Amino acid sequence: MPIGKLAVFDEGFTDGSLEYSSAVKMQKLENLSKELEHIFYAEYKPSKAYIVIVTETKNQFAKWRLWLNNFSITKEFKPNEDILMNGNFLNLHVFDVSPFVQKGKNQLVVSRMSNEPIYVHLISTATLYEVSGFRTEYTLGAGVLALKPYESIKLSGKENNYIVVRIPLKSKLIVEGSKNTLEMEGNSDGEEIEIPGEVFIRHEGKVKDPALIYLHYTSRESTPKIDIEANSRVENLLLNISIVNKSEIGLDRVLVNVMLNGITIYFKSIENVKDGDSLNLSFPLNQRKGNLHLRVVGIKAGVRKILDKDVEW
């Protein structure tokens, strides 16, 4: 029987979209490193915004503080949920920060206030925007759910699922969605999963430690068509790129990334691209060898259309 639970902290409908991002690399706060900074971006001023943090501590009420854009969010250290595992507490903290998130760059700082070390397993943000033409049904859940080896669980999902897990070393997690199955190997950090439909998760392995599930965001979106067309050609070591926004709506941004042998050699962000707009870019190349790849991303209210193309030269 799995230990712990995932609890819903918000659900409903919005005339807009849902955007989320997470930092899943475990960080230790101790004497030489008392603060952890996390930067996230908001496409618009959100109608709702949440921060989810999972910590590991020796004592249940270890003292720490959360700052957002230089404003102290909390002095309360009691977690929303916790479980005791291997002598330490795994703690879930959920904060409604809707009034404090601003459009653009936001700075979040976790500051240790006690003598004992604090391990930060996860920092995740979820923002809801009101955007004309968009409609989103969503459920946001978080917790600390532990699956021992050979245990499994079903998560009720909509069209889109975003799940954050931590898999012990020398172990494996099988994640089955409505369209595909993922096999994920264990490592020291968390893993992000995006998969559609109902989700079945099974922990396979002979290790002692459980696999941990921290987040489950699920949504169903109705959005205007987002589409981009991109063409490129090389003439005299000059890369010429033409892009057309064929979406039914204007885009917040178009990102253009040119990679040579997997390394970015050119990047540009163009804001406020109207529907039907054409963009023409040129970039000089200093060598003529290797794999040249073009990636163009159209973004509207957190919804992304990604176009990848190899460039012949």
Side-chain angles (χ1 to χ4, degrees):
M1 185 75 177
I3 302 171
K5 64 179 180 179
L6 296 176
V8 173
F9 60 87
D10 193 8
E11 63 181 337
F13 292 85
T14 181
D15 290 324
S17 69
L18 166 67
E19 187 172 21
Y20 41 76
S21 65
S22 298
V24 296
K25 181 177 177 62
M26 186 166 65
Q27 302 282 339
K28 182 180 181 181
L29 301 183
E30 53 184 346
N31 292 335
L32 297 178
S33 179
K34 294 185 177 182
E35 292 188 345
L36 171 60
E37 180 184 290
H38 176 70
I39 301 294
F40 66 96
Y41 293 85
E43 294 290 345
Y44 308 92
K45 172 66 178 176
S47 56
K48 290 183 178 181
Y50 298 97
I51 294 172
V52 177
I53 298 177
V54 175
T55 62
E56 179 181 348
T57 57
K58 189 69 176 177
N59 296 310
Q60 189 175 21
F61 302 121
K63 293 185 177 181
W64 59 278
R65 182 174 289 184
L66 177 66
W67 300 80
L68 177 59
N69 298 328
N70 295 318
F71 184 85
S72 179
I73 297 297
T74 181
K75 294 182 181 179
E76 298 293 332
F77 311 107
K78 183 178 180 180
N80 299 84
E81 301 285 346
D82 61 62
I83 66 171
L84 184 62
M85 191 178 73
N86 297 332
N88 285 348
F89 287 93
L90 288 174
N91 313 293
L92 170 73
H93 311 266
V94 180
F95 303 97
D96 183 344
V97 293
S98 304
F100 311 111
V101 175
Q102 60 194 17
K103 179 182 178 181
K105 179 180 177 181
N106 291 269
Q107 180 192 50
L108 184 157
V109 176
V110 178
S111 178
R112 182 175 69 99
M113 307 295 290
S114 62
N115 292 325
E116 70 170 285
I118 296 174
Y119 295 86
V120 179
H121 285 223
L122 168 72
I123 298 175
S124 184
T125 60
T127 48
L128 293 159
Y129 306 118
E130 294 181 357
V131 186
S132 177
F134 283 66
R135 177 76 167 167
T136 301
E137 178 188 6
Y138 66 93
T139 300
L140 306 180
V144 182
L145 179 62
L147 291 180
K148 291 180 289 188
Y150 304 109
E151 286 188 329
S152 62
I153 191 170
K154 174 184 175 182
L155 300 179
S156 297
K158 300 178 174 65
E159 288 181 356
N160 309 303
N161 293 285
Y162 175 72
I163 304 165
V164 175
V165 300
R166 186 175 298 275
I167 311 166
L169 294 172
K170 299 180 181 180
S171 191
K172 184 167 62 175
L173 211 62
I174 308 299
V175 184
E176 300 178 15
S178 60
K179 296 181 180 179
N180 59 323
T181 298
L182 305 174
E183 292 191 9
M184 310 183 70
E185 301 290 337
N187 61 59
S188 58
D189 297 318
E191 294 281 355
E192 299 173 276
I193 303 169
E194 296 201 56
I195 194 167
E198 298 283 340
V199 181
F200 294 87
I201 300 178
R202 184 171 69 257
H203 181 199
E204 293 191 351
K206 298 180 181 180
V207 299
K208 178 181 69 174
D209 294 331
L212 301 169
I213 305 175
Y214 295 141
L215 280 185
H216 179 212
Y217 300 159
T218 184
S219 63
R220 181 181 293 109
E221 294 180 325
S222 174
T223 68
K225 177 184 175 183
I226 296 178
D227 192 18
I228 47 179
E229 179 182 279
N231 293 290
S232 59
R233 69 182 188 279
V234 177
E235 294 180 346
N236 299 321
L237 289 182
L238 185 68
L239 175 60
N240 298 292
I241 304 169
S242 61
I243 301 168
V244 180
N245 179 17
K246 292 193 168 184
S247 307
E248 297 175 342
I249 196 169
L251 300 177
D252 297 326
R253 283 182 291 157
V254 172
L255 307 180
V256 182
N257 189 13
V258 179
M259 291 167 279
L260 181 61
N261 297 326
I263 299 173
T264 296
I265 59 173
Y266 176 80
F267 178 83
K268 190 173 182 63
S269 176
I270 303 107
E271 297 188 355
N272 300 320
V273 180
K274 297 179 180 179
D275 51 311
D277 275 1
S278 297
L279 306 171
N280 295 290
L281 307 170
S282 295
F283 175 68
L285 303 169
N286 57 16
Q287 64 179 37
R288 190 185 177 93
K289 58 182 178 180
N291 177 258
L292 193 61
H293 187 81
L294 171 66
R295 170 171 289 181
V296 180
V297 183
I299 302 173
K300 180 65 179 181
V303 179
R304 287 166 166 78
K305 172 69 175 182
I306 300 173
L307 180 63
D308 281 297
K309 300 183 73 171
D310 286 327
V311 181
E312 294 184 5
W313 64 326

